Amino acid sequence: MVAIRGEASQDVEKLAASCHWITIGELSKLIDILKQEGITEVMMTGQVKHVSIFSSIRPDWRLFKLLASLKEKNTDALIGGVAKVLQDEGIRLVDSTTLLKPLLAGAGVLTRRKPDGDEEKDVRYGRRIASALAGLDVGQSVAISERACVAIEAMEGTDAMLRRAASLVNSRPLRLIKTSRGRGHLLFDVPVTGLNTVAVMQETGTTLLAIDAGRTLMLDKVEMLAQADRAGLCIVGYYPSEP
């Protein structure tokens, strides 16, 4: 296992026979470790905050060269560039959900409570906006209230976006719409929800979470749905092609 210092928990050391720590900027060291361990396939898991590119990153020569070559520094460009460097070294990225298929969201209403009429209208409106934004690689989530887009996720992440939205709607209910990129693969940047998502929904007056079925990870899935049920929230999985 290779873990990124400052992003991964120290607890990951207990999950692997060996664990190598690198900083987010050490692309050359990553490649050296993988070759040293005889690894030819890599799966990306967990989250690296995009804003790190503008703050804590200290790129080594290989990453500096990659960053300088990019016309854009969005997620697709950054991780796609890393994937190309790895491929050139004989190391292939594999589907990041390979070992997590049971945690992928199913289709339909996943909680006991079904969406009401107002929530359904907000979801239909919000999914159109979220899908358009995902195609532009801006963010994966939007906050909707009464068929108005209150907030759009960018580098701050979903939780911060929801809190910002809550500060704007004067206690009106919010709906969180999270979509996946319109890619044909799940190599990286797969949408993730979990117990903290439910907690922030409760904090911000968000009554419904709409996610893409088969393309969104639900960490601690059973407990997440149980907490949502206890809070009276609604979680629905939609196929990406659904309106």
Side-chain angles (χ1 to χ4, degrees):
M1 176 184 293
V2 181
I4 297 177
R5 191 173 288 110
E7 301 286 347
S9 167
Q10 292 287 336
D11 291 341
V12 299
E13 292 186 345
K14 304 172 186 176
L15 305 176
S18 64
C19 182
H20 301 270
W21 288 92
I22 63 173
T23 68
I24 192 173
E26 293 179 314
L27 182 54
S28 292
K29 184 176 179 180
L30 169 63
I31 292 171
D32 290 343
I33 290 169
L34 296 178
K35 288 189 172 183
Q36 171 190 321
E37 297 286 349
I39 295 170
T40 58
E41 292 187 336
V42 174
M43 182 174 66
M44 289 187 173
T45 62
Q47 180 189 44
V48 174
K49 298 177 182 65
H50 197 142
V51 72
S52 297
I53 298 299
F54 295 95
S55 56
S56 60
I57 189 171
R58 293 183 179 180
D60 63 14
W61 69 269
R62 198 188 299 261
L63 185 58
F64 181 84
K65 182 179 178 182
L66 170 61
L67 291 172
S69 71
L70 298 177
K71 294 181 180 179
E72 300 174 339
K73 289 185 175 61
N74 55 31
T75 304
D76 273 2
L78 285 168
I79 306 183
V82 171
K84 177 63 167 59
V85 171
L86 293 176
Q87 184 178 9
D88 291 344
E89 296 290 337
I91 302 163
R92 185 175 70 91
L93 279 188
V94 299
D95 184 335
S96 63
T97 68
T98 299
L99 305 178
L100 303 172
K101 298 300 184 186
L103 299 181
L104 288 172
V109 180
L110 306 178
T111 47
R112 287 200 296 262
R113 186 173 75 78
K114 298 179 179 180
D116 62 27
D118 285 338
E119 288 173 329
E120 288 182 339
K121 291 174 184 176
D122 279 350
V123 168
R124 283 195 294 271
Y125 172 76
R127 281 179 57 78
R128 292 200 306 271
I129 295 174
S131 296
L133 289 173
L136 296 172
D137 199 10
V138 174
Q140 295 176 322
S141 304
V142 295
I144 303 297
S145 182
E146 299 179 5
R147 271 72 71 202
C149 183
V150 180
I152 296 169
E153 178 189 5
M155 286 190 182
E156 79 271 39
T158 302
D159 295 348
M161 184 269 293
L162 270 184
R163 292 185 175 110
R164 175 163 54 89
S167 73
L168 300 172
V169 294
N170 194 26
S171 298
R172 290 181 176 84
L174 291 167
R175 334 295 184 187
L176 173 59
I177 318 297
K178 183 180 279 286
T179 61
S180 58
R181 307 277 189 237
R183 311 185 187 103
H185 66 76
L186 294 173
L187 297 179
F188 52 81
D189 202 28
V190 176
V192 177
T193 61
L195 297 175
N196 194 61
T197 307
V198 174
V200 176
M201 287 175 67
Q202 290 180 268
E203 173 193 335
T204 57
T206 303
T207 67
L208 178 142
L209 167 64
I211 51 183
D212 278 358
R215 298 181 67 86
T216 305
L217 289 170
M218 301 177 72
L219 304 184
D220 300 300
K221 187 176 183 179
V222 173
E223 180 58 24
M224 178 187 175
L225 293 175
Q227 285 198 17
D229 284 335
R230 287 194 290 270
L233 305 179
C234 179
I235 301 177
V236 188
Y238 294 85
Y239 288 116
S241 60
E242 289 184 71

